[in-house]
Amino acid sequence: MTCQSNWKDAFGDYVAETLSKEESIRLEGHLKECPDCRSDIEQIRLLRKGFAHLVDEHIPVDLLLEYHHTGKDSPILAGQPQWLPERMEAHLSLCSQCQTELKTLEAAREELRGPEKTSKKPAARRWVFLSARKFWYAVPAAAALLLMVLLNLPVSSKGPNLAVLPFEYSGPAEKESFAEGSVDDISRNFEKVSAVGIISSTSSAQYKRTNKRPRQIGEELGVDYFLTGAIRWDTAGKLAKIKIVPKLIRTSDETEFWRDSFEILDEELCSFPGTVVRQVTATLNVALLEPERRALESCPTGNIQAYEYFVKGNLYFQSRVLSPMQKAAQMYQKAIELDSNFVLAYCMLSRCLTEIFGHYLSDFQAPAKQAADKATRLQSDLPEVHLALAAYYYHIFEYDSATTHFSIASQGIPNNSDLWEEWGYMQRRQGLWHQAVANLERSLELDPRDIVVNLEIAKTFLFLRDYKKSENYLNRAIAVAPGGIQPYADKLVLYVIWQGSTQKARKVFRDAPKELGLESHYLCDMIEGNYEKCFPKLTAADTAFERRRDYFMANAFIFGLMNRIELMKTFYDSALMILQKQAPTRDGDPDFHAALSRAYAGVGHKEVAIREALKARELMPVSKNAVLAPTYIQNLAQVYTMVGEYDKAIDQLEYLFSIPSQISPALLRLDPMWAPLRGHARFQKLINERS
């Protein structure tokens, strides 16, 4: 049995050596007698070692150099309590990034010193230290970029912000998606330019055939300029010709800042996006770094048909819905069949298959890795390759590898909104909540009309119990997509968790689309005791085991609230029969074991119910996924409540309050799930202390 002491919250501070001396002595006394807590401490040390670059701040450049030149006796270091020599050595032993930075600075020092300056005298060391500092500050842009990447912070552009709006198209209908995808590829090329902010095409695509004034578009997207224009596709002759007229509009005064005209053959279209980006950056007097210039000059494939499939695949990929994603994978596969060295197509195929196996069908995991490996063999230094690898490792819970690849990719495509979004989701899983918020907000800067990211930031603040900020992002999501259902459903749940009243939650229905489903009413009806309205319906189409199982479980729960015990057991028994049939294929799935635990608890099998609930929690611990883990901790608390183990249930609720989760005092007061605990003194104390 694990230790139930209150020391758990102090373990992180103890390992980081930030716990007070008195508390450290008391904790060490406890550790001498508690093997469970000693084991936890060792696990935290191992975790801290693996994520040293996330746990500690990095050593400042000046102090690294001072440490190298002067050593432990430096009076400067003695005045830095956060970075005393012993602490610095410990950090360097764990943090490969600071080790690399120190080597870089040492190399700079050698270059400055030259072969004739080999004196070891203190004065010479001081001169070299000051000279190296001058060298470092002589390249502030590179230093800022490097440090931001090392700190896992988003890199914000200091140059102009742009959006590429859809171009007007005229020509054969079968070529329209090709033309649209090529314009979308201009945005993707802008993502490589660090000195320009580019809005994702997901947001800018919403302005197709818009009547809005440029100034309004600028305000809504937060851009200084937008690129738009016209494409005319002429297939009348032997060779298809394309006339493209791009124009750059300044949003502040609605003037046309730049315009050009191109007549190209369709086989030249794949190099056109890079050409436009180079001309626009030159017009705006934006300097390109040499790697950026090379990337914009390269053509992704020499096969125009392969490029056509590629850009069509990108359009399908934007949806993140299963059916279009499968079509995207087919497009990328066709592109690869036409050009077996098309590295970007392999990258996008890997990302597409990763999305599919991560959210829908697990069978696609191996092909996703194969596509990423092929891209790596073709061009291992390409940032898109690292993004594909980062996404893959994130979805298989190898966070350390994913972090490395996200860091590298962010240097080459700093304006890719997908990168910051997925990195933020991964950091949230790791329990790095505030870093996750920073990256998700960076993604939202690049894709301001993305409703999903708005909702996910709102969810993140809900877990952090910053309910006002959560409400702000839900309001923003509603403003972006007033016809969407999910923001209203999430807002209803927020008001129940936050304010503990269904009155304000009910008001959400008045503003929401009529399609806001019965599931949302269910929450309010259940809390208000209107149980007769809560029974779900089973239609003729609901033949799948999963749907029928959930139907039986929901009915059983409602009958339990109504104290109709025999009917409750009947429905739990029906659910249990389905779950047992699913067991051979679902063993190891935490959702399955959680449902099984509640069904067993409902029919009175106490021991096996607890065992299954514990298994669900073990399969998805907080260290693996800090977002999903609270679901299984709450499930364990519910099972303990159902079988009468009230103290153990309260133990789990106390733990949920100690971590980011959706549990709140208001919810415990209202939700009838916890009604059996309300006469318990510990339960009431927990609510009062957390209110």
Side-chain angles (χ1 to χ4, degrees):
M1 182 181 295
T2 58
C3 176
Q4 301 297 320
S5 74
N6 294 323
W7 278 113
K8 303 288 184 184
D9 291 342
F11 288 173
D13 290 335
Y14 177 73
V15 173
E17 300 178 5
T18 57
L19 200 64
S20 70
K21 184 176 181 180
E22 295 77 11
E23 288 182 309
S24 296
I25 293 172
R26 288 173 54 211
L27 175 55
E28 287 164 358
H30 173 75
L31 291 174
K32 290 178 181 178
E33 301 177 356
C34 183
D36 288 333
C37 287
R38 289 200 301 272
S39 175
D40 287 346
I41 289 285
E42 289 308 310
Q43 289 180 29
I44 290 173
R45 285 197 172 111
L46 288 173
L47 186 67
R48 184 180 174 84
K49 183 175 182 179
F51 293 97
H53 59 294
L54 300 176
V55 174
D56 280 331
E57 293 182 4
H58 291 283
I59 303 171
V61 176
D62 285 4
L63 298 184
L64 270 176
L65 285 166
E66 176 68 15
Y67 170 75
H68 176 70
H69 292 299
T70 311
K72 294 183 179 181
D73 299 328
S74 165
I76 294 178
L77 294 181
Q80 300 287 336
Q82 184 181 357
W83 291 112
L84 292 173
E86 293 78 10
R87 179 73 179 276
M88 192 177 292
E89 288 177 347
H91 181 87
L92 282 169
S93 70
L94 299 176
C95 183
S96 59
Q97 295 182 2
C98 278
Q99 293 169 10
T100 301
E101 186 175 316
L102 181 58
K103 290 177 182 177
T104 302
L105 297 175
E106 288 174 350
R109 166 181 171 269
E110 293 300 322
E111 180 179 336
L112 285 165
R113 185 172 63 179
E116 73 282 1
K117 293 180 173 59
T118 57
S119 170
K120 299 293 183 180
K121 296 179 182 179
R125 286 203 303 267
R126 176 60 53 203
W127 181 87
V128 173
F129 169 65
L130 294 173
S131 300
R133 251 171 82 169
K134 291 177 182 178
F135 172 82
W136 183 258
Y137 290 124
V139 284
L145 179 61
L146 176 61
L147 288 176
M148 280 186 167
V149 169
L150 293 177
L151 288 168
N152 288 327
L153 293 175
V155 182
S156 297
S157 164
K158 294 183 179 179
N161 291 320
L162 303 173
V164 180
L165 303 193
F167 283 29
E168 293 182 13
Y169 173 79
S170 60
E174 65 271 16
K175 291 295 184 181
E176 184 171 6
S177 61
F178 188 10
E180 185 180 344
S182 300
V183 173
D184 175 70
D185 211 24
I186 298 175
S187 293
R188 291 175 180 271
N189 276 266
F190 266 119
E191 290 174 358
K192 303 169 185 177
V193 181
S194 57
V196 170
I198 182 69
I199 297 300
S200 169
S201 55
T202 309
S203 286
S204 57
Q206 299 176 32
Y207 292 89
K208 189 174 184 177
R209 300 188 181 93
T210 183
N211 293 321
K212 293 181 178 180
R213 302 284 302 180
R215 185 177 286 107
Q216 183 180 355
I217 295 172
E219 291 172 353
E220 291 179 357
L221 293 178
V223 295
D224 308 301
Y225 303 87
F226 64 78
L227 186 72
T228 187
I231 298 180
R232 188 177 72 210
W233 205 297
D234 183 3
T235 57
K238 291 183 179 180
L239 296 174
K241 293 182 179 180
I242 308 167
K243 183 174 182 179
I244 308 175
V245 182
K247 54 185 178 180
L248 189 67
I249 307 297
R250 185 164 53 199
T251 59
S252 60
D253 55 10
E254 303 189 342
T255 60
E256 187 176 292
F257 195 72
W258 168 83
R259 172 194 286 259
D260 207 337
S261 180
F262 301 85
E263 278 204 15
I264 61 176
L265 301 176
D266 62 354
E267 64 190 28
E268 299 171 313
L269 196 57
C270 66
S271 61
F272 174 73
T275 300
V276 171
V277 173
R278 293 199 306 274
Q279 291 206 18
V280 169
T281 52
T283 300
L284 295 173
N285 199 29
V286 171
L288 295 174
L289 301 176
E290 188 55 35
E292 297 169 353
R293 187 180 301 280
R294 289 197 302 269
L296 293 172
E297 289 174 349
S298 63
C299 188
T301 176
N303 188 308
I304 191 61
Q305 287 182 297
Y307 181 68
E308 182 173 358
Y309 283 123
F310 174 72
V311 296
K312 287 180 179 179
N314 291 341
L315 295 177
Y316 284 121
F317 179 79
Q318 291 176 6
S319 73
R320 298 296 205 276
V321 178
L322 179 58
S323 179
M325 293 282 283
Q326 290 173 319
K327 291 180 181 178
Q330 292 169 6
M331 295 293 104
Y332 298 135
Q333 189 61 51
K334 288 180 179 179
I336 290 166
E337 289 169 2
L338 291 167
D339 181 357
S340 60
N341 293 318
F342 194 170
V343 62
L344 287 179
Y346 282 108
C347 293
M348 291 306 299
L349 177 61
S350 176
R351 288 182 58 197
C352 187
L353 297 178
T354 294
E355 285 287 322
I356 292 174
F357 90 71
H359 299 289
Y360 302 104
L361 304 168
S362 60
D363 295 345
F364 286 84
Q365 179 177 338
K369 185 59 163 62
Q370 290 167 5
D373 288 344
K374 176 64 174 180
T376 303
R377 290 194 295 272
L378 288 171
Q379 194 172 348
S380 61
D381 61 342
L382 199 68
E384 288 86 353
V385 171
H386 290 284
L387 178 55
L389 288 167
Y392 174 79
Y393 285 121
Y394 150 48
H395 280 287
I396 64 169
F397 305 100
E398 292 189 15
Y399 300 142
D400 212 2
S401 296
T403 298
T404 298
H405 289 291
F406 274 129
S407 296
I408 297 170
S410 69
Q411 297 177 62
I413 43 176
N415 291 317
N416 185 295
S417 62
D418 290 348
L419 184 154
W420 302 111
E421 181 182 357
E422 292 203 46
W423 201 351
Y425 294 154
M426 188 189 77
Q427 289 173 321
R428 198 172 59 177
R429 278 188 182 181
Q430 293 174 271
L432 304 170
W433 292 87
H434 294 288
Q435 288 170 304
V437 167
N439 277 347
L440 290 174
E441 288 182 335
R442 173 60 176 153
S443 175
L444 201 58
E445 289 175 12
L446 297 168
D447 200 355
R449 300 188 71 78
D450 188 325
I451 187 172
V452 173
V453 178
N454 275 293
L455 292 176
E456 290 298 331
I457 298 177
K459 177 181 177 180
T460 305
F461 281 120
L462 175 65
F463 270 68
L464 291 170
R465 300 184 178 89
D466 192 335
Y467 301 123
K468 186 61 182 175
K469 286 185 180 177
S470 181
E471 181 186 41
N472 291 341
Y473 277 97
L474 290 176
N475 288 335
R476 178 171 174 169
I478 290 170
V480 168
I485 297 172
Q486 195 60 48
Y488 292 98
D490 290 356
K491 199 171 184 180
L492 185 150
V493 173
L494 169 67
Y495 287 143
V496 171
I497 292 174
W498 176 13
Q499 300 184 357
S501 170
T502 58
Q503 184 176 0
K504 191 164 184 179
R506 289 281 190 191
K507 290 180 181 178
V508 174
F509 289 104
R510 292 206 293 266
D511 300 324
K514 293 180 180 179
E515 294 81 6
L516 188 60
L518 293 175
E519 294 83 358
S520 298
H521 289 276
Y522 171 91
L523 178 62
C524 293
D525 286 330
M526 183 187 69
I527 288 172
E528 293 168 357
N530 301 321
Y531 300 135
E532 295 291 345
K533 296 181 180 180
C534 295
F535 287 106
K537 305 297 181 187
L538 190 67
T539 67
D542 292 335
T543 56
F545 272 175
E546 204 82 9
R547 297 290 293 275
R548 296 185 69 83
R549 183 200 80 184
D550 292 344
Y551 165 77
F552 291 135
M553 294 285 283
N555 275 281
F557 181 67
I558 298 302
F559 279 124
L561 296 179
M562 298 172 72
N563 204 31
R564 299 175 69 176
I565 304 303
E566 289 306 314
L567 280 171
M568 178 194 77
K569 289 184 176 180
T570 299
F571 275 93
Y572 272 129
D573 191 58
S574 298
L576 192 55
M577 291 173 62
I578 292 176
L579 286 161
Q580 288 169 340
K581 289 180 181 178
Q582 292 179 311
T585 58
R586 298 291 298 275
D587 186 42
D589 179 350
D591 282 342
F592 168 76
H593 291 286
L596 193 60
S597 70
R598 296 194 304 277
Y600 274 123
V603 297
H605 294 324
K606 177 178 178 178
E607 297 303 323
V608 67
I610 294 173
R611 184 187 70 209
E612 291 297 328
L614 286 168
K615 186 171 184 178
R617 179 180 174 176
E618 290 165 2
L619 286 167
M620 190 61 71
V622 173
S623 60
K624 183 177 183 180
N625 191 327
V627 181
L628 290 182
T631 300
Y632 305 107
I633 299 169
Q634 182 170 318
N635 178 76
L636 179 58
Q638 182 181 352
V639 168
Y640 278 138
T641 301
M642 292 172 72
V643 301
E645 293 282 356
Y646 297 155
D647 275 305
K648 291 182 178 179
I650 295 168
D651 288 341
Q652 300 304 314
L653 294 175
E654 286 177 343
Y655 179 60
L656 283 171
F657 273 112
S658 73
I659 62 174
S661 73
Q662 296 188 55
I663 207 73
S664 73
L667 193 62
L668 293 184
R669 288 193 187 96
L670 286 180
D671 193 338
M673 180 191 302
W674 312 113
L677 303 178
R678 289 185 185 137
H680 199 293
R682 279 186 64 203
F683 184 76
Q684 292 301 325
K685 181 182 178 183
L686 176 64
I687 292 176
N688 293 335
E689 287 179 345
R690 297 291 178 172
S691 295

